[in-house]
Amino acid sequence: MRDRFSRSIITVAIAAVAAGAILSVSITRTSAQTQTASGRTPAASAKSSATSAAALKTSWGEPDLQGIWTDESDTPLQRSPKYANQEFFTDAQRAELDKERASLLGRDRRVERGTELDVAGAYNAQFMSVKHTGARTSLIVDPPNGRIPPLTPEAQKIAAADREFRLALLQSTETCKNKSVGCAGGKYDPTPSPRFAELPPRYNTARMNRRNNPEDGALPDRCLTGGLPEFGGATGSFRRIVQTPGGITMFYDVGQGQGWQRNIVMNGSPHLPASIRQWYGDSRGHWEGNTLVIDVTNFSAKTDYQGSRENLHLVERWTRTGPNSLEYVVTIEDTTVWTRPWTVKQEFTKQSDEENGVYYEPRCIEGNYASPGLMRGQRMAEAAFARGEGPDPRLSDNATDFVGVEDDPLQ
Amino acid sequence: MRTRLLNSIGAVGVIVSVFMFLKPMGVTVAQEGSTTSTPTPKTVTSLKTPWGEPDLQGIWTDESDTPLQRPAKYANQEFFTEAQRAELDKERAALLGRDKRVERGTELDVAGAYNSVFMSMKRTGARTSLVVDPPNGRIPPLTPEAQKIAAADREFRLALLQSTETCKSKSVACAGGNYNPTPSPRRAERPARYNTARMNRHDGPEDGALPDRCLTGGLPEFGTAYGGSFRRIVQTPGGISMFYDVGQGQGWQRNIVMNASPHLPANIRQWFGDSRGHWEGNTLVIDVTNFSPKTDFRGSREKLHLIERWTRTSPTTLEYEVTIEDPTVWTRPWTVKQELTKQTEQENRIYYEPRCVEGNYAFPSMMLAARRDDLAFAQGQGPDPATKDNATDFVGVEDDPLQ
Amino acid sequence: MRRRFSGSMIAVAIVAAAVGAIVSMSITRTSAQAPAAAPISRPARIGGKPNLSGIWQANNEANWDLQAHAALPAAVTQPGVYPYDYARVPAAPVLALGAAGAVPGSLGVVQGDGQIPYKPEALLVKKENAEHWIDRDPELKCYLPGIPRAMYMPYPFQITQSTNKIHMAYEFSNTARTIHLDKVAGPPDDTWMGHSVGHWDGDTLVVDVTNFNDRSWFDRAGNFHSDALHLTERFTLKSPDLIWYEANIEDPKVFTRPWRIAMPLYRRAEPNMQLLEFRCNEFVEEFMYGGLRKQQLVKHWEGETMAVDITRKVPSGDKFYDWYGGK
């Protein structure tokens, strides 16, 4: 059989040469390419190493990264200092953490009912997932202490100025009067700050206690969130990867209608010109053996990842480590923000294609009652105050939330 | 096998070169005045494009002046005698020195702006009229409906003139109207139909004549005295396009659809209609429908239907024939025949730059002037604009014995 | 010389057969054409089926209006001096754009008699939609355009074809859809973009799309559908750079019978073509929320012949809810 195949190739080849054209041969598919059903338990090996799964290839011979992938366990980004340089939990530590965290499930994760910060249990255990504790003590694997490197002096200044501004907007609220953790570093002053009339020091991306304009909103409230790098959050983090010869696309579903697409450019061409900045940067990929390496630059100045904006540079490495596992490594650098690059490693588990548990409908804006509602509310409060019929809106805290989250022993 | 392939490539190469050699000739004949006296349509089968279609390509124009309609005195005489032509040429040449507007200083004077440099006067053509059918060389009678519409339209325009000198002095431009020092209340009315001609009001762009709005040019195109009428035809297998240059930046394009598909749907109306063509022997037949109600050809608007026949009659001549019908306007169809003469490619005397809008100072100026007149009148500092005639022109044109 | 070449071909072929992979030869180009990047060869077929991967774009006026129409003075018009449809003039929202705000004519993409077979009451809704285009067209709010509209918006989209899934990523907003060629469970809720299940019928990709909500439109002319919309799409590669796209449209709540649209989709053949972001939900904040600012930001514009003043209105009561997210 092989002989006949080769001979037919030869004939075609000769004709192609004669005509000076390209030869492309139809694919012979091996049968064992179908994906097996997902496992719901985390991958067996606690110490996952990037074992190359040479057999898992697409029908055209590339490593197969296709499928729906998510991290099925919870791992904090940074390692709690008490674990020092310990990279993995012991089984006992994991079991203990699972026990503690399970008891959180019944609780409302906001402060007591009736306080200004209560949102009536809107974000309870139904909405936010608590997954099994993962094997690693942190997603960060480098530096060896599992923590983000120190900020540069410049970045520290910027963060401080930003924090000062936000605290100024809170200084007349109950939050500061009660010395809530939401006012840490600030102070109470019954007179609203004159800084209410100022622009923030930089393009605003986070929640702040003012709603004069849409731009005062946090990016998520404006349906402008989602971004890279994406490690997951309380509302889930799924990525569906589809490949074709020479092309890879990833659709991300991170809940709350905030999904996005990535079309990885694989043709070796250089990055976009520096004048073109994008929310999700510019992703350029190539294969190194069985690993897909993606270089991401050209971020917009309106994005913000832990303080890094347009100078953010990511180098991702995606490797299929088993039928149900994919290792994601990303080195993160921004010389204007961190004193050195740092690296995250995360293991994804394949989800069942048939269950199709991804709802890629980035329809945040289509149902964004909150953003206009917040602004309308402020306008009405201001009007009432101007008529002498309501308190000064600047005495209310409409920014702080999730004050109870720090209860999670894993965070 | 490889040898065979190369052979076929070679064969193709040879054929291509042969076609190049056969490119149409006969394009260098000088074009000074037509010499034939009684042209009859001969089909010239040897003048074909390299792909075998009749070749209509080139720059074409009518090199002589022929009136659209035959003056009554010629009855059914289709062609001038040589003597008649010579006499006409003599009379018309005498017009060349004269300014073709009324006397200097009258309201209608435009200071010699449209003199013989601007307007061409060509030799008298062979035919007594462009209209060849009906046999009397004149456009058939209007239907009663069309007469009514034309009358109502004329009435309206005369009403807008009734307080002007034009009507006071009983100028021919006020024929059928009367003078009345009180401006007509109709000045506040909209015209009965979409306006296309000059009228004595400039309340807005739609009061302008189509030419003033750079919306003129239309089919059928026979040429006028105001700048010539050139059409450049280029062909390709299965396609023909024509670019018209009629002077004053009012050119347009025609892309003739040759794939036998039906006309556009009835709800799509176009200024230049929808042209669908096919070959009948050596004649290109083009059917044109779907005209917009904003066009107007002698009263015919959206129901205008043209059937054109284009035939190359010699190396230097092309016969253009068009049958014109609109049963709501004329009691029967009528046909025009015109002989076009080829212009030299190398001289390339066609300036296809339909840049009327780009230099349309006149139109906004007329409206601005009207607004200033309105304001001055309102302030008691100027005459009632209704007593001014800003519409009539070319009162002297009727002097041309050929028209 | 011929024999030596064949020898090397045999060796390559055997290796290829052994790993069950595709053999593709890089294109021999003349040096003058070599692009900066090494071109990834795109096989003509994947899994025995035509390869539709690449970046494509419709090149017609369907997003303006699926039906045949002559050119219009503007996207929003008002009566002119004459009471005729053909004599309307641009209206205030778009007047300053001049010819850039006009609507080009189109032969239309609706097959058959070119009509969209609305039920009488639905036709009234369509007319109302057209009249209130600025307030109601979801495109202006950067909402998900739905299918089929995403296929013929004037922006490129990228097809990534694998053996069990096909991704279509559209440049407009974060619009995308996954076409499932394998068996999957449906979505947990209604969708703007539909749930797409595909299979190959010979060399034609047939996609069945269901699970729509009633929120998207077909075009800027107010053509709409209900949540009963059901599409059957057909994608056929007519030549390497041309897909013939057809969609059969059924919606018994709105139309009296099914109807079809069809059009070519052209490959964006530029050598280094890639999709750029078009994240318009940021761009429409002024449009949608500018009336809720503490101080009106966009108020007045002055050109050489025209000044435009904007007065914002905030809908009250239920209309507030409707305008910002509801119907």
Side-chain angles (χ1 to χ4, degrees):
Chain A
M1 182 183 69
R2 186 180 289 173
D3 271 330
R4 255 183 280 131
F5 186 78
S6 326
R7 234 178 281 125
S8 61
I9 295 276
I10 296 168
T11 316
V12 174
I14 291 172
V17 165
I22 183 175
L23 167 67
S24 67
V25 179
S26 57
I27 301 163
T28 51
R29 265 227 272 187
T30 61
S31 52
Q33 290 287 46
T34 52
Q35 317 297 355
T36 52
S38 76
R40 282 277 164 200
T41 56
S45 58
K47 295 177 172 27
S48 60
S49 49
T51 53
S52 65
L56 286 159
K57 299 253 190 219
T58 64
S59 54
W60 55 92
E62 274 171 2
D64 192 341
L65 307 180
Q66 301 183 99
I68 305 172
W69 300 97
T70 194
D71 183 349
E72 288 194 345
S73 55
D74 279 334
T75 302
L77 178 65
Q78 300 197 71
R79 186 178 306 146
S80 178
K82 67 185 175 196
Y83 296 109
N85 281 20
Q86 182 190 341
E87 198 179 349
F88 294 96
F89 287 121
T90 63
D91 284 341
Q93 286 169 324
R94 281 180 83 186
E96 179 58 32
L97 281 162
D98 275 349
K99 198 163 129 225
E100 284 180 48
R101 297 174 66 242
S103 70
L104 288 174
L105 280 170
R107 289 179 15 203
D108 195 318
R109 300 182 70 199
R110 300 279 189 140
V111 294
E112 299 77 32
R113 287 288 162 84
T115 65
E116 188 179 49
L117 299 179
D118 174 33
V119 289
Y123 289 94
N124 60 15
Q126 192 78 353
F127 188 86
M128 297 171 57
S129 28
V130 178
K131 295 175 286 189
H132 282 289
T133 311
R136 292 182 168 277
T137 53
S138 60
L139 292 177
I140 296 177
V141 295
D142 184 67
N145 68 348
R147 298 193 65 80
I148 298 175
L151 296 178
T152 60
E154 178 191 339
Q156 288 179 43
K157 274 211 213 83
I158 288 173
D162 186 75
R163 181 110 187 100
E164 242 179 73
F165 179 78
R166 281 167 217 288
L167 287 170
L169 301 186
L170 283 173
Q171 74 184 28
S172 309
T173 67
E174 286 286 310
T175 305
C176 284
K177 193 171 190 187
N178 298 340
K179 295 187 170 38
S180 158
V181 62
C183 193
K187 62 169 168 25
Y188 176 68
D189 185 337
T191 309
S193 165
R195 301 196 77 183
F196 263 96
E198 277 177 34
L199 276 178
R202 286 204 298 179
Y203 186 87
N204 175 53
T205 62
R207 190 73 67 68
M208 70 161 114
N209 193 32
R210 190 179 71 192
R211 272 289 180 296
N212 288 350
N213 295 290
E215 295 84 353
D216 282 349
L219 292 184
D221 296 340
R222 298 166 69 191
C223 295
L224 286 171
T225 198
L228 303 175
E230 161 61 26
F231 304 131
T235 53
S237 173
F238 294 80
R239 55 208 50 62
R240 184 202 291 278
I241 299 177
V242 172
Q243 290 169 247
T244 197
I248 297 174
T249 64
M250 307 181 180
F251 292 172
Y252 286 69
D253 171 15
V254 297
Q256 298 191 89
Q258 307 256 21
W260 68 91
Q261 46 173 284
R262 290 179 76 183
N263 304 301
I264 316 299
V265 179
M266 297 289 289
N267 64 8
S269 58
H271 273 294
L272 291 171
S275 56
I276 298 186
R277 316 305 297 191
Q278 308 205 113
W279 290 91
Y280 303 100
D282 177 43
S283 291
R284 247 109 175 122
H286 66 279
W287 292 101
E288 283 177 14
N290 283 320
T291 296
L292 171 66
V293 181
I294 305 181
D295 195 278
V296 195
T297 60
N298 290 74
F299 283 96
S300 159
K302 293 178 281 198
T303 59
D304 188 289
Y305 179 68
Q306 306 261 359
S308 174
R309 297 196 166 199
E310 67 272 18
N311 296 319
L312 182 64
H313 174 211
L314 310 176
V315 181
E316 299 174 313
R317 304 178 66 86
W318 302 69
T319 313
R320 185 76 175 266
T321 48
N324 295 311
S325 58
L326 188 152
E327 182 187 83
Y328 173 69
V329 176
V330 57
T331 298
I332 299 160
E333 67 169 355
D334 181 338
T335 52
T336 66
V337 175
W338 301 293
T339 48
R340 52 161 280 183
W342 46 290
T343 302
V344 154
K345 192 180 282 195
Q346 192 173 26
E347 190 173 78
F348 296 132
T349 307
K350 200 173 194 304
Q351 308 300 296
S352 150
D353 279 328
E354 196 182 316
E355 280 179 24
N356 197 30
V358 177
Y359 183 58
Y360 181 80
E361 272 266 307
R363 57 198 238 175
C364 177
I365 190 179
E366 289 79 355
N368 194 357
Y369 307 113
S371 190
L374 285 166
M375 284 186 282
R376 185 87 185 105
Q378 283 290 289
R379 303 290 84 78
M380 289 166 71
E382 283 156 7
F385 177 56
R387 291 192 306 267
E389 288 167 16
D392 185 339
R394 293 170 299 177
L395 304 180
S396 306
D397 179 356
N398 279 309
T400 308
D401 62 359
F402 285 113
V403 200
V405 164
E406 64 271 26
D407 287 343
D408 185 340
L410 201 56
Q411 298 301 328
Chain B
M1 185 177 62
R2 185 181 287 171
T3 341
R4 253 184 280 133
L5 181 61
L6 285 172
N7 274 349
S8 60
I9 288 177
V12 170
V14 168
I15 292 165
V16 165
S17 59
V18 167
F19 282 153
M20 301 292 279
F21 213 69
L22 276 186
K23 230 162 122 94
M25 314 212 256
V27 293
T28 54
V29 179
Q31 306 304 326
E32 269 319 316
S34 43
T35 48
T36 54
S37 51
T38 53
T40 48
K42 317 188 293 272
T43 63
V44 185
T45 52
S46 57
L47 286 161
K48 299 252 191 222
T49 63
W51 53 91
E53 274 171 1
D55 192 343
L56 307 181
Q57 301 183 97
I59 305 172
W60 301 95
T61 193
D62 184 347
E63 289 193 342
S64 56
D65 278 333
T66 302
L68 179 62
Q69 301 195 72
R70 185 178 307 147
K73 65 185 174 195
Y74 296 109
N76 281 21
Q77 182 188 341
E78 199 179 348
F79 296 97
F80 287 123
T81 63
E82 287 299 327
Q84 286 168 324
R85 282 180 84 187
E87 178 58 30
L88 281 162
D89 275 349
K90 198 163 128 221
E91 282 181 50
R92 295 173 69 242
L95 288 174
L96 279 170
R98 291 182 9 205
D99 195 317
K100 298 184 77 186
R101 298 278 188 143
V102 293
E103 301 77 34
R104 287 290 161 84
T106 65
E107 188 179 49
L108 299 178
D109 173 33
V110 291
Y114 287 93
N115 61 15
S116 60
V117 176
F118 186 87
M119 296 172 56
S120 33
M121 186 168 301
K122 296 174 284 187
R123 288 222 167 73
T124 311
R127 291 182 169 278
T128 53
S129 62
L130 292 177
V131 177
V132 296
D133 183 66
N136 68 349
R138 299 194 65 80
I139 297 174
L142 295 178
T143 61
E145 178 191 339
Q147 289 179 43
K148 272 210 213 89
I149 288 173
D153 186 72
R154 181 110 186 101
E155 243 178 73
F156 178 75
R157 282 169 215 286
L158 288 170
L160 301 186
L161 281 172
Q162 74 184 29
S163 309
T164 68
E165 278 294 308
T166 305
C167 284
K168 192 172 189 186
S169 59
K170 294 189 172 33
S171 158
V172 62
C174 193
N178 60 319
Y179 175 69
N180 185 336
T182 309
S184 164
R186 300 197 75 184
R187 290 194 72 82
E189 272 177 39
R190 200 172 44 223
R193 284 206 299 178
Y194 187 86
N195 176 54
T196 63
R198 190 74 67 66
M199 70 163 114
N200 192 31
R201 189 179 71 193
H202 296 284
D203 284 353
E206 296 83 356
D207 281 351
L210 292 185
D212 296 339
R213 300 167 68 190
C214 294
L215 285 171
T216 198
L219 303 175
E221 161 62 25
F222 306 131
T224 65
Y226 308 142
S229 171
F230 294 79
R231 55 208 50 62
R232 184 200 292 275
I233 300 177
V234 173
Q235 289 168 248
T236 195
I240 297 173
S241 76
M242 306 181 179
F243 292 174
Y244 285 69
D245 172 16
V246 296
Q248 299 191 85
Q250 308 255 21
W252 69 90
Q253 49 173 284
R254 289 179 76 184
N255 304 301
I256 316 300
V257 178
M258 298 289 289
N259 64 7
S261 57
H263 273 295
L264 290 171
N267 66 314
I268 297 189
R269 317 304 298 189
Q270 309 206 109
W271 290 90
F272 302 99
D274 177 43
S275 292
R276 250 115 173 116
H278 66 278
W279 292 102
E280 283 178 15
N282 284 320
T283 296
L284 170 66
V285 180
I286 305 181
D287 195 278
V288 195
T289 60
N290 289 76
F291 284 95
S292 159
K294 292 179 280 199
T295 59
D296 188 290
F297 176 67
R298 306 192 71 98
S300 174
R301 298 197 164 197
E302 68 271 17
K303 298 200 172 55
L304 182 63
H305 174 211
L306 309 178
I307 301 170
E308 300 173 312
R309 303 179 66 85
W310 302 70
T311 314
R312 185 76 175 268
T313 47
S314 84
T316 57
T317 57
L318 187 152
E319 182 187 85
Y320 172 68
E321 192 187 294
V322 57
T323 299
I324 299 160
E325 68 170 353
D326 182 340
T328 67
V329 175
W330 302 292
T331 48
R332 50 162 281 184
W334 47 289
T335 302
V336 155
K337 196 177 279 196
Q338 189 175 29
E339 188 171 76
L340 307 172
T341 307
K342 203 170 192 308
Q343 308 299 296
T344 121
E345 299 286 353
Q346 203 201 46
E347 281 179 20
N348 198 31
R349 290 281 187 74
I350 183 169
Y351 184 60
Y352 182 78
E353 271 271 293
R355 56 199 234 179
C356 177
V357 168
E358 290 79 351
N360 196 356
Y361 306 113
F363 191 48
S365 300
M366 283 193 285
M367 285 185 284
L368 181 60
R371 299 292 79 76
R372 293 208 167 130
D373 284 352
D374 288 342
L375 184 63
F377 179 55
Q379 291 167 347
Q381 288 165 12
D384 185 346
T387 59
K388 298 172 72 170
D389 180 356
N390 279 309
T392 307
D393 64 357
F394 285 113
V395 201
V397 164
E398 63 272 25
D399 288 344
D400 186 344
L402 202 55
Q403 298 301 331
Chain C
M1 182 179 74
R2 186 184 289 178
R3 212 171 290 142
R4 250 184 285 133
F5 190 82
S6 331
S8 65
M9 280 309 296
I10 296 171
V12 172
I14 290 172
V15 169
V19 301
I22 185 176
V23 173
S24 59
M25 288 171 53
S26 54
I27 302 166
T28 51
R29 282 178 191 255
T30 60
S31 54
Q33 291 174 288
I40 304 245
S41 58
R42 178 185 291 123
R45 300 183 88 84
I46 300 181
K49 294 302 170 189
N51 183 6
L52 305 179
S53 291
I55 300 181
W56 303 85
Q57 186 168 341
N59 189 10
N60 57 30
E61 304 78 24
N63 190 49
W64 280 110
D65 187 343
L66 291 182
Q67 294 184 271
H69 60 274
L72 298 174
V76 189
T77 59
Q78 63 164 69
V81 167
Y82 295 94
Y84 314 131
D85 266 348
Y86 56 79
R88 290 172 73 88
V89 297
V94 298
L95 181 61
L97 293 173
V103 178
S106 166
L107 295 174
V109 297
V110 180
Q111 304 298 293
D113 64 1
Q115 299 304 308
I116 300 181
Y118 281 105
K119 295 177 158 183
E121 64 275 13
L123 184 57
L124 296 176
V125 174
K126 180 239 154 112
K127 293 198 161 123
E128 231 188 281
N129 286 348
E131 236 177 83
H132 299 279
W133 174 65
I134 284 191
D135 281 325
R136 298 200 189 166
D137 186 350
E139 179 189 357
L140 300 188
K141 299 180 183 174
C142 187
Y143 285 0
L144 291 168
I147 301 286
R149 191 172 189 179
M151 302 302 301
Y152 45 80
M153 291 183 82
Y155 315 113
F157 60 93
Q158 183 151 5
I159 298 180
T160 303
Q161 176 177 328
S162 186
T163 49
N164 63 334
K165 306 286 181 197
I166 296 177
H167 261 178
M168 293 197 180
Y170 305 86
E171 193 169 90
F172 182 78
S173 195
N174 263 309
T175 306
R177 62 164 161 165
T178 305
I179 299 176
H180 305 275
L181 302 177
D182 49 358
K183 186 155 141 344
V184 298
D189 195 2
D190 67 316
T191 66
W192 286 74
M193 299 300 297
H195 176 62
S196 297
V197 175
H199 71 276
W200 287 96
D201 177 10
D203 276 356
T204 294
L205 173 68
V206 181
V207 182
D208 208 77
V209 197
T210 53
N211 287 84
F212 285 102
N213 60 28
D214 62 352
R215 305 288 303 279
S216 63
W217 281 10
F218 287 115
D219 56 25
R220 293 175 178 171
N223 288 308
F224 71 105
H225 61 86
S226 78
D227 58 7
L229 178 66
H230 170 216
L231 303 178
T232 311
E233 300 172 295
R234 301 179 69 86
F235 296 80
T236 311
L237 203 60
K238 290 291 206 196
S239 75
D241 296 333
L242 194 135
I243 292 175
W244 188 253
Y245 171 70
E246 287 182 18
N248 189 68
I249 298 166
E250 289 173 69
D251 187 337
K253 288 189 190 174
V254 175
F255 309 114
T256 56
R257 57 167 174 83
W259 49 288
R260 278 191 315 123
I261 59 172
M263 65 188 77
L265 303 173
Y266 300 95
R267 186 185 295 279
R268 291 292 303 262
E270 300 94 310
N272 289 334
M273 181 62 196
Q274 71 177 87
L275 295 191
L276 295 180
E277 283 178 10
F278 186 2
R279 202 169 188 198
C280 47
N281 54 326
E282 180 201 2
F283 305 151
V284 301
E285 279 187 324
E286 184 55 35
F287 172 68
M288 293 185 72
Y289 307 132
L292 299 170
R293 291 183 187 275
K294 191 177 169 77
Q295 302 280 358
Q296 188 175 344
L297 183 63
V298 175
K299 299 191 258 246
H300 179 82
W301 171 87
E302 190 118 359
E304 285 173 359
T305 60
M306 198 179 313
V308 178
D309 285 296
I310 303 244
T311 305
R312 306 301 303 245
K313 288 160 59 178
V314 177
S316 61
D318 276 347
K319 289 192 145 225
F320 182 90
Y321 174 94
D322 289 349
W323 206 86
Y324 287 106
K327 292 291 298 299

